[in-house]
Amino acid sequence: MKKFILMLTVLVSVALSAFANGEGEGAREYVTIGTGGVTGVYYPTGGAISKMVNKKSDEYNLKVTVESTGGSVYNVNAIMSGDLEFGIVQSDRQYQAYNGLADWDGAPQDKLRAVFAIHPESITLIASDDAGIRSLEDLKGKVVNIGNPGSGQRGNATDILTAAGFDIEKDIKAEGLKPSEAAGMLQDGRIDAYFYTVGHPNGSFKEATSGAVATRFIPLEGSAVDTVIADHPFYAKSVIPVQAHYPGAANEGDVATFGVKATFCTSSDVSDDVVYSIVKEVFDNLEEFKTLHPAYGVITAENMLEGLSAPLHPGAERYFREVGLIQ
Ligand code: GLU
């Protein structure tokens, strides 16, 4: 009898300690979010999501880490190869990847899944003031950073330049710098202008507009912009709030351009529970999330379901049905 009680005590304590370690509910999962350069908005956005979920790591049995990456195209490819579980991806790249267009020409990424949309991003062109650039057409013959391979902006710069009749190989000196390097290169006079598709405000344009060299945002409007918007379902007109965010810029008012949306993406291989937990944490605490970056001002639960073209991940769908965001 004594032996039996001893054995029972051992068994019960082993079971209890396993439960306390979370083993009773399965092992803790570790996932990584691919973002962008450290002076953009994707990187702090990954930080905001991970900070919120990690506060409740024990409840969700989940730990989220963040990685700085080359941007949207890199993120899609890393999610598809299984190197990353999540990534922030421009809505246009999500559309192209799922449908096998542009960088994924003829190779649709069937496993790509949409989770939610985040902030709006503007295709932004900035130039040093004395380069004499006042419109897209003035880029002719200039040194222009169109973005690193792997970035979202590279495709947007190519679209708009092509629509404006540029031969990118011949009409400009195109550079492929990372966005975190571009502001310094503009201030150093090594480039005349750079494109960045990004939410506002961000560290890159704060840096570009607060150095010794005067810089200005260049409006993207007119027939070339009207053509790309008409030709692509994911582009829409937008405005860069220059006055509110970049007082050091040479502009006198806000600047018209066009844009896309930042979206949160994953793979159909990632579990419903993991996706559900992240979506629930962000949406249940949306007002808190919105305080984490000034680019989130316009976000609503409803518009976080707009701009998604890959199928919704079932973990996200479960949450959206529960709270009545979808029927
Ligand atoms: N839209 C950019 C890209 O896809 C990244 C912007 C950011 O990091 O905020 O490459």
Side-chain angles (χ1 to χ4, degrees):
M1 184 65 183
K2 251 191 191 159
K3 250 192 190 159
F4 177 74
I5 289 176
L6 187 70
M7 235 168 71
L8 204 69
T9 316
V10 170
L11 274 177
V12 166
S13 61
V14 167
L16 275 177
S17 79
F19 185 72
N21 288 334
E23 287 160 32
E25 301 159 40
R28 172 165 298 187
E29 286 212 50
Y30 292 82
V31 296
T32 302
I33 304 173
T35 59
V38 292
T39 55
V41 181
Y42 287 8
Y43 187 67
T45 297
I49 295 170
S50 71
K51 184 180 157 189
M52 291 179 68
V53 174
N54 290 345
K55 272 200 293 196
K56 299 185 192 157
S57 264
D58 290 340
E59 186 182 317
Y60 295 130
N61 231 345
L62 178 64
K63 179 99 190 179
V64 180
T65 55
V66 173
E67 205 177 275
S68 170
T69 73
S72 287
V73 174
Y74 177 94
N75 293 342
V76 167
N77 293 336
I79 294 168
M80 293 298 89
S81 68
D83 288 338
L84 293 172
E85 286 74 27
F86 294 93
I88 307 177
V89 174
Q90 287 178 201
S91 49
D92 50 330
R93 301 284 155 240
Q94 184 189 133
Y95 179 90
Q96 291 164 342
Y98 188 73
N99 292 294
L101 304 167
D103 290 79
W104 302 273
D105 191 15
Q109 305 297 302
D110 302 325
K111 289 186 163 187
L112 189 65
R113 291 294 175 270
V115 183
F116 51 74
I118 320 173
H119 55 280
E121 300 189 271
S122 287
I123 288 101
T124 308
L125 176 63
I126 194 168
S128 64
D129 201 26
D130 63 8
I133 299 165
R134 295 292 181 272
S135 71
L136 190 62
E137 288 67 32
D138 297 331
L139 290 178
K140 202 151 190 160
K142 303 290 183 188
V143 184
V144 183
N145 182 41
I146 61 168
N148 57 293
S151 72
Q153 51 270 6
R154 201 176 165 89
N156 305 132
T158 305
D159 283 350
I160 188 63
L161 286 167
T162 307
F166 278 77
D167 178 337
I168 292 170
E169 314 268 283
K170 291 194 198 121
D171 296 335
I172 57 169
K173 174 134 190 352
E175 297 287 349
L177 302 165
K178 292 196 285 183
S180 58
E181 298 165 344
M185 296 286 268
L186 187 65
Q187 279 295 326
D188 289 346
R190 313 253 307 267
I191 56 175
D192 295 313
Y194 70 91
F195 282 94
Y196 195 10
T197 303
V198 66
H200 293 283
N202 60 73
S204 176
F205 291 125
K206 286 207 184 280
E207 185 185 342
T209 56
S210 53
V213 168
T215 55
R216 68 166 58 236
F217 294 93
I218 308 303
L220 299 176
E221 55 193 356
S223 61
V225 172
D226 294 342
T227 305
V228 290
I229 293 177
D231 286 353
H232 301 288
F234 38 72
Y235 285 140
K237 291 198 174 176
S238 75
V239 172
I240 305 166
V242 176
Q243 297 311 301
H245 298 312
Y246 310 109
N251 303 81
E252 254 143 37
D254 291 343
V255 166
T257 183
F258 66 109
V260 292
K261 268 185 131 184
T263 71
F264 194 54
C265 293
T266 190
S267 154
S268 57
D269 289 341
V270 173
S271 81
D272 292 7
D273 285 347
V274 166
V275 176
Y276 177 87
S277 296
I278 295 176
V279 173
K280 179 174 171 55
E281 183 55 31
V282 171
F283 277 74
D284 280 358
N285 304 289
L286 193 56
E287 288 314 308
E288 181 194 341
F289 177 78
K290 286 179 64 175
T291 66
L292 298 177
H293 198 288
Y296 305 154
V298 295
I299 292 178
T300 63
E302 289 73 24
N303 68 29
M304 288 176 87
L305 272 70
E306 293 165 4
L308 308 174
S309 42
L312 264 185
H313 189 285
E317 201 181 320
R318 194 212 301 172
Y319 177 85
F320 296 147
R321 280 191 199 289
E322 254 172 42
V323 298
L325 278 167
I326 55 176
Q327 305 312 317

